[in-house]
C-alpha cells in the first residue's frame, strides 16, 4: 500500500551557496517548504517536493540591506524521482531563479526511515550544482559591493525530512 508522507518544515532546510574568489562560500538558507514523498512498503517509488528560498538571505545582502532591492524567490518543483540502486537516486524538476525557469537534475540520497517521538520519519539529502549563468545571474547577482568575483556554480544542498 502506498503511503503519502508530508514534509516536516521544522526539521528540513535548504542551503544555496556560491564560492567567491577568496575560496569561501556565501550562503543563504530557508525552511519554507511544501511537498510529499510516496512510499510503498518503505520503498521509495516516487517523490515530489517543492521549496522556496528568499534570495535576500545571502550575507552580503544582510550587510547592505538598505541599498538592495527585493530579490525574487528561488523556487524548485520536482517532476520525477528515479531510483537507480540502493541510495543512488535522481530528482528532476523545474528550478526558477530570477524569473528564469530551467529543468535541472539533482542527486537525491534516501537516508532512511526511523521512528521518532511517536512519528515515522523518512529523510533525504538532495544536492546539485547549478550554473548561475543559465539563470542570468551575472557577477553582481547578490548586489555585493565586494570586489571579488563569484564562482560559476551555485551549490544546492537540501536536507528534507518527511513524516506520516
Amino acid at each position: 500500500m502506498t503511503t503519502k508522507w508530508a514534509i516536516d518544515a521544522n526539521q528540513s532546510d535548504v542551503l544555496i551557496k556560491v564560492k567567491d574568489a577568496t575560496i569561501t562560500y556565501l550562503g543563504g538558507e530557508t525552511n519554507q517548504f511544501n511537498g510529499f514523498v510516496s512510499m510503498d512498503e518503505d520503498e521509495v517509488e516516487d517523490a515530489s517536493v517543492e521549496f522556496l528560498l528568499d534570495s535576500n538571505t545571502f550575507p552580503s545582502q544582510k550587510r547592505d540591506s538598505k541599498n538592495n532591492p527585493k530579490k525574487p524567490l528561488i523556487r524548485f518543483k520536482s517532476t520525477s524521482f528515479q531510483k537507480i540502486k540502493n541510495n543512488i537516486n535522481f530528482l528532476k524538476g523545474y528550478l526558477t531563479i530570477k524569473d528564469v525557469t530551467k529543468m535541472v537534475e539533482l542527486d537525491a540520497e534516501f537516508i532512511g526511515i526511523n521512528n521518532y517521538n511517536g512519528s515515522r520519519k523518512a529523510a533525504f539529502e538532495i544536492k546539485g550544482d547549478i550554473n548561475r549563468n543559465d539563470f542570468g545571474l551575472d557577477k553582481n547577482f547578490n548586489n555585493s559591493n565586494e570586489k571579488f568575483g563569484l564562482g560559476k556554480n551555485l551549490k544546492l544542498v537540501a536536507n528534507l525530512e518527511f513524516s506520516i
Side-chain angles (χ1 to χ4, degrees):
M1 182 171 108
T2 301
T3 306
K4 190 172 183 178
W5 302 54
I7 197 163
D8 185 345
N10 294 324
Q11 297 298 318
S12 301
D13 60 38
V14 172
L15 173 68
I16 301 282
K17 59 186 184 175
V18 62
K19 191 177 281 191
D20 69 18
T22 61
I23 313 175
T24 60
Y25 284 97
L26 303 174
E29 61 182 289
T30 187
N31 63 351
Q32 299 176 20
F33 298 97
N34 184 6
F36 68 90
V37 62
S38 295
M39 294 189 206
D40 188 9
E41 301 293 326
D42 293 344
E43 289 293 323
V44 177
E45 287 188 344
D46 195 15
S48 178
V49 67
E50 182 175 347
F51 57 82
L52 305 172
L53 172 66
D54 181 347
S55 62
N56 284 326
T57 60
F58 285 97
S60 61
Q61 289 181 322
K62 289 179 184 177
R63 289 191 303 266
D64 192 27
S65 61
K66 56 186 159 190
N67 295 326
N68 289 331
K70 179 79 174 152
K71 288 289 186 178
L73 293 177
I74 296 171
R75 179 184 310 260
F76 177 79
K77 184 171 184 174
S78 67
T79 58
S80 68
F81 181 89
Q82 182 180 8
K83 182 175 180 177
I84 305 299
K85 64 179 182 177
N86 296 335
N87 287 346
I88 300 172
N89 310 285
F90 295 108
L91 185 65
K92 290 183 183 179
Y94 291 105
L95 181 66
T96 302
I97 303 175
K98 199 175 176 182
D99 296 326
V100 175
T101 302
K102 300 275 185 179
M103 176 67 74
V104 297
E105 185 173 288
L106 305 170
D107 297 328
E109 180 182 356
F110 176 51
I111 306 298
I113 297 173
N114 204 343
N115 291 319
Y116 182 74
N117 283 345
S119 296
R120 286 181 47 87
K121 303 279 186 175
F124 289 85
E125 181 177 74
I126 299 169
K127 294 181 182 180
D129 286 341
I130 310 300
N131 183 331
R132 63 186 179 83
N133 295 323
D134 289 347
F135 294 90
L137 301 175
D138 64 14
K139 64 182 179 180
N140 294 317
F141 81 95
N142 69 340
N143 289 333
S144 173
N145 290 328
E146 298 165 8
K147 297 177 184 171
F148 302 110
L150 298 175
K152 178 175 92 171
N153 289 331
L154 299 173
K155 291 195 178 288
L156 179 140
V157 179
N159 295 298
L160 306 175
E161 188 173 292
F162 300 86
S163 60
I164 54 174

